[in-house]
Amino acid sequence: MDLTPRPGAAPPPPYAYHPYAETPVETTTRLRPVRTRNPGRTVAAAVCGVLGLGLVGGAVTGRWLTGDSAADPGAGSAYTVGRSAWHTVPVDSLFPRTLKGDGAGPGATDRVWTRVAVAGDGGCAAGLDPLLLRTLRPVGCERLVRATYTDATRSSVTTVGMVFTEGDTEAMGALDTRFTTQELAARTDLMPRTYPAEGTVAAGFGEQQRASWTVNVLTEVPVVVFAVSGFADGRTVAEPQPAAEAMAAGATTAVAQAGLGHEAKGIADRVERTLRRTVTDLTEKPE
């Protein structure tokens, strides 16, 4: 079958499945003379054939019943499903239009965040500072997706993002260990970038407006989740503060008292939970 597109034909849409079955090549082989069969050998061959079919059939049936995916390693695993979630899961599932943060604010107050903009998916260079990009290089970057939210009072804005990596469980585990032992999530030079959107409350949310942030390396799925928050009025923040420090008891900085650490952590946690739940639903096997 000639699969060459006709002149002027439109190119196929991205990620489309092309159901072109490959036709096997037919061959003709010269037949050899058939020898006279030995009845004993015929019976023995038949018995072996039945036993062989029984063993193969039993193995296949067992694989169906137990869900063994040895024939297709990684099929249906959280890593396989999670890595492709950026283009298989609807954007409203990855970044819900509204996030509810019961007890997520300072003093366990409730929070509600509304999505104001979603960035187009792309490479990591657009959304990560060079040093953070270099830090994530061991796990690679499959895709970066981001969205920006505002709180109910429209006084704060937060960009939350997910880096879908190319790393396996070992690589993600090593990266998580490095972030933990070296406290990389608290370094201001590894702070993620914002996603300002024209015509929204986040229009003035640039790099100088970053106030608090969090970065979390997941190990159940190949994803790094981050969030960075700031004031919606576009004021410059001279000393950004990691979310963990801004949320600490007794913190008195302007960032802490404005609850911007809680904003970054609360939104990141809820987007992360949504992703985990979605991947779990997609990988669950019926009983």
Side-chain angles (χ1 to χ4, degrees):
M1 178 183 298
D2 184 8
L3 303 182
T4 304
R6 296 190 303 276
Y15 316 120
Y17 170 65
H18 303 286
Y20 297 122
E22 187 176 271
T23 304
V25 178
E26 295 183 0
T27 58
T28 302
T29 305
R30 180 174 298 178
L31 300 179
R32 292 175 296 175
V34 180
R35 298 179 179 178
T36 304
R37 295 182 178 179
N38 185 310
R41 290 181 179 176
T42 301
V43 172
V47 171
C48 290
V50 171
L51 290 175
L53 288 174
L55 291 173
V56 173
V60 172
T61 302
R63 185 173 299 150
W64 287 343
L65 294 177
T66 61
D68 183 9
S69 58
D72 186 12
S77 72
Y79 265 61
T80 301
V81 173
R83 183 171 288 115
S84 62
W86 65 269
H87 70 81
T88 59
V89 177
V91 66
D92 285 349
S93 295
L94 291 177
F95 299 117
R97 293 178 180 274
T98 302
L99 293 172
K100 293 183 178 180
D102 295 341
T109 55
D110 296 339
R111 282 287 194 266
V112 176
W113 299 284
T114 302
R115 193 184 74 198
V116 297
V118 177
D121 64 270
C124 287
L128 305 178
D129 280 339
L131 187 56
L132 179 55
L133 183 62
R134 195 177 312 133
T135 304
L136 299 181
R137 187 172 296 164
V139 295
C141 173
E142 176 72 19
R143 218 67 172 179
L144 169 66
V145 294
R146 295 179 295 163
T148 297
Y149 288 80
T150 187
D151 68 322
T153 65
R154 298 175 69 85
S155 60
S156 69
V157 285
T158 303
T159 292
V160 60
M162 289 183 281
V163 178
F164 291 84
T165 78
E166 301 167 346
D168 56 15
T169 54
E170 182 177 355
M172 294 301 293
L175 182 65
D176 177 49
T177 298
R178 185 184 176 197
F179 261 79
T180 301
T181 58
Q182 299 181 18
E183 299 182 345
L184 298 184
R187 287 178 46 170
T188 55
D189 55 353
L190 295 179
M191 198 170 17
R193 289 177 176 169
T194 66
Y195 175 60
E198 294 297 329
T200 72
V201 67
F205 188 31
E207 294 187 14
Q208 299 302 315
Q209 284 69 42
R210 294 179 292 184
S212 190
W213 75 98
T214 181
V215 180
N216 189 24
V217 179
L218 309 187
T219 54
E220 298 89 343
V221 289
V223 177
V224 177
V225 179
F226 65 84
V228 55
S229 62
F231 295 99
D233 60 10
R235 75 182 74 172
T236 298
V237 179
E239 296 183 5
Q241 192 172 23
E245 293 182 11
M247 296 172 62
T252 58
T253 64
V255 171
Q257 293 190 347
L260 293 178
H262 290 80
E263 300 291 296
K265 186 69 166 61
I267 290 177
D269 282 353
R270 276 142 191 85
V271 167
E272 178 182 319
R273 292 175 196 173
T274 299
L275 176 66
R276 291 177 188 272
R277 185 166 56 247
T278 299
V279 172
T280 298
D281 291 344
L282 291 174
T283 55
E284 275 185 346
K285 293 183 176 65
E287 296 182 359

